[in-house]
Amino acid sequence: MSGNTNKTGIIIACAACGEKFNDLTPLATCSKCGGLLDITPALPALCSEKLQNLFDSRVSIGAMRGSAASRSGVWRFRELVLPITDAEIVSHPEGNTPLLERPAVSKYAGVKNLLMKHEGFNPSGSFKDRGMTVAVTQAKRCGATAIACASTGNTSSSLAAYGAQAGIPALVMVPAGRISMGKLAQTVAYGARTLLVRGDFDDCLRLVRESSEKLGVYLANSLNPFRIEGQKTIMFELLQQLAWQSPDWVALPAGNLGNTSAFGKALREAQSLGLIKRIPRLLSVQASGAAPFAHDFADNFAKRTSVRAETIATAIRIGDPASWDRAVSAIRFTNGVVASVSDEQIMQAKQVIDASGVGCEPASAASVAGVRELVARGIIAPHERVVAVLTGHILKDPEKLLNTTNAHGHAAANAPIEIDATLAAVERVLQTATKARN
Ligand code: F0G
């Protein structure tokens, strides 16, 4: 361990070789062996009831009138994330996302009781803001002069937003020609320096890791353990919304495996603090064209594989997931399952989620598609309580939707129609629609 004293009481240690780092380290991975760093928070010495009351008190009207940090669904759990003061925190605020229930989606998934935790309600449009508020806060605490990430769109726009707020220049690397236009525009608008890399996400991540090691920029991908600490709050918040009564399953899309890792860690800590009595099972869902983790699960994690990833769901188009070790431990701890679903299953589930008025990006729909798959395989029972996490907003990858045809090869029934600017043209469309309904 080097450097100054640790104010927060957290312990940062390499998961592979055990090397310890102080809480202001600018490193995202171990300088000795390159392993992933893990954070052990100094868990508060409060009984579970007092802790639940403390978290509940921060959702009151009084708290809603306070600072951004006091209104944040991440920093509400700061004792379990990073115990620092409001003045040090870079918060939008973020979190406070809804748990939604739509009978049509439950019916489609094949369970009586499906809730959707919609992380697309975060300020930049995805769950990434939960990890980014912590990573950028930490970058500021350790005096970083630049922050960088690899991304397929959501991480980059989130980093760009928080970097702008903190006044730290952001550098993002995205696969050239393979990023959603809206997300690219959002990233540029927030002021990030954007590099279109001739390669895929895995190439971008390799490059950003090298830049972090050799050029000293602060790395903000989910390799960074502070990202994981922030993303744990998706789980804490959903458990709080369920009055700390665990569901039977929590389903989520899985790409680089940051969220799978964060959910496992959150559940471990929630159990050791007595906040929950029962551990829900995790269901991590990959796209079949980008499913190395599902493949390894089927092989009981005997070895780690990688693939050249291809799927319509850009956010999970990842062939060599960085948080593999952490995620294996999360799946084992929760008696979890890793499944894969086809692009067709993903787009079908998305159509149902969209048509219910909720909506999400393609990758997010993998969670619901995965629940349906596991019900069909008899692993999830129809009476079990399931929370499916929708990780991103419907406005990501819209071209996928407009270009999608149904199972019979026809465009969606409500595909946009171009008309002359006349009332007669409107009337004709209405008449055709009425005929089609009858
Ligand atoms: N869902 C969405 C909407 C995402 O943006 C991502 C990752 C994932 C799921 C996968 O989560 O990596 O924790 O398993 N998006 C990254 C990005 C690649 O650049 O925005 P994971």
Side-chain angles (χ1 to χ4, degrees):
M1 170 147 27
S2 58
N4 42 13
T5 53
N6 180 342
K7 268 197 325 181
T8 57
I10 63 170
I11 295 167
I12 308 181
C14 173
C17 75
E19 177 76 358
K20 289 204 169 59
F21 297 86
N22 78 56
D23 79 335
L24 291 180
T25 178
L27 299 171
T29 51
C30 178
S31 50
K32 246 183 151 181
C33 75
L36 295 178
L37 302 183
D38 273 343
I39 292 179
T40 309
L43 295 181
L46 290 178
C47 71
S48 55
E49 199 184 335
K50 283 220 168 89
L51 207 49
Q52 287 170 355
N53 290 343
L54 175 67
F55 297 148
D56 286 352
S57 73
R58 293 176 179 158
V59 199
S60 67
I61 283 293
M64 299 309 261
R65 291 185 184 133
S67 65
S70 72
R71 283 176 283 133
S72 163
V74 170
W75 297 100
R76 180 191 314 144
F77 304 101
R78 71 180 70 183
E79 288 77 7
L80 314 185
V81 173
L82 186 62
I84 53 175
T85 58
D86 283 13
E88 295 175 273
I89 291 172
V90 183
S91 170
H92 197 98
E94 48 290 308
N96 300 309
T97 60
L99 261 185
L100 305 170
E101 192 173 6
R102 294 292 182 276
V105 183
S106 296
K107 189 166 168 228
Y108 178 76
V111 290
K112 252 213 283 275
N113 196 336
L114 179 94
L115 292 166
M116 290 170 282
K117 174 80 172 151
H118 206 324
E119 289 294 303
F121 281 65
N122 272 294
S124 79
S126 81
F127 74 90
K128 302 288 180 180
D129 297 335
R130 293 204 185 241
M132 211 53 85
T133 178
V134 185
V136 172
T137 291
Q138 185 61 14
K140 196 175 121 194
R141 292 182 77 230
C142 66
T145 51
I147 25 180
C149 74
S151 180
T152 59
N154 284 326
T155 306
S156 58
S157 47
S158 182
L159 175 66
Y162 284 87
Q165 189 179 347
I168 306 175
L171 176 70
V172 311
M173 304 192 198
V174 300
R178 310 198 70 195
I179 168 168
S180 150
M181 196 49 74
K183 282 286 156 183
L184 182 59
Q186 191 184 10
T187 302
V188 172
Y190 287 136
R193 168 62 68 201
T194 304
L195 305 181
L196 306 174
V197 177
R198 295 186 202 103
D200 59 14
F201 173 83
D202 298 296
D203 292 317
C204 294
L205 188 58
R206 177 181 46 77
L207 204 55
V208 91
R209 287 184 75 161
E210 284 170 17
S211 311
S212 162
E213 281 155 25
K214 307 260 162 61
L215 310 175
V217 291
Y218 189 81
L219 189 145
N221 279 100
S222 57
L223 286 168
N224 182 322
F226 289 95
R227 280 275 310 273
I228 303 292
E229 294 306 289
Q231 286 169 213
K232 289 187 318 196
T233 65
I234 303 172
M235 184 61 79
F236 293 145
E237 192 176 89
L238 85 79
L239 290 169
Q240 183 182 32
Q241 285 166 310
L242 295 174
W244 305 98
Q245 302 297 310
S246 299
D248 296 300
W249 292 86
V250 177
L252 73 160
N256 220 13
L257 304 179
N259 261 347
T260 301
S261 308
F263 287 16
K265 191 167 192 290
L267 289 170
R268 215 185 275 273
E269 290 168 7
Q271 187 194 41
S272 75
L273 287 163
L275 291 170
I276 53 168
K277 301 215 160 43
R278 215 163 41 84
I279 303 290
R281 297 179 72 182
L282 290 184
L283 166 58
S284 289
V285 189
Q286 298 206 290
S288 50
F293 194 54
H295 176 275
D296 299 344
F297 171 77
D299 203 17
N300 206 15
F301 298 125
K303 62 178 185 321
R304 175 178 176 166
T305 52
S306 62
V307 300
R308 182 135 301 264
E310 199 40 80
T311 165
I312 197 165
T314 53
I316 51 175
R317 192 189 282 153
I318 295 170
D320 188 16
S323 287
W324 193 91
D325 297 325
R326 294 167 173 161
V328 170
S329 141
I331 294 296
R332 290 204 167 125
F333 174 67
T334 63
N335 187 23
V337 172
V338 188
S340 67
V341 290
S342 67
D343 280 6
E344 203 182 335
Q345 286 175 289
I346 290 176
M347 291 314 279
Q348 227 186 46
K350 174 173 158 58
Q351 250 174 32
V352 177
I353 298 163
D354 290 354
S356 76
V358 169
C360 65
E361 72 166 275
S364 307
S367 59
V368 172
V371 174
R372 183 177 157 94
E373 172 73 21
L374 258 65
V375 171
R377 281 163 50 186
I379 299 173
I380 296 183
H383 68 267
E384 289 189 296
R385 292 177 80 210
V386 182
V387 176
V389 179
L390 303 181
T391 43
H393 199 277
I394 189 172
L395 288 177
K396 170 123 181 266
D397 298 333
E399 59 285 350
K400 302 285 183 321
L401 184 72
L402 294 172
N403 296 337
T404 299
T405 50
N406 65 21
H408 310 291
H410 303 303
N414 64 336
I417 304 169
E418 187 171 329
I419 61 162
D420 292 331
T422 64
L423 189 59
V426 177
E427 198 179 12
R428 262 199 305 281
V429 172
L430 286 176
Q431 279 166 355
T432 323
T434 314
K435 261 193 220 143
R437 265 204 305 275
N438 296 335

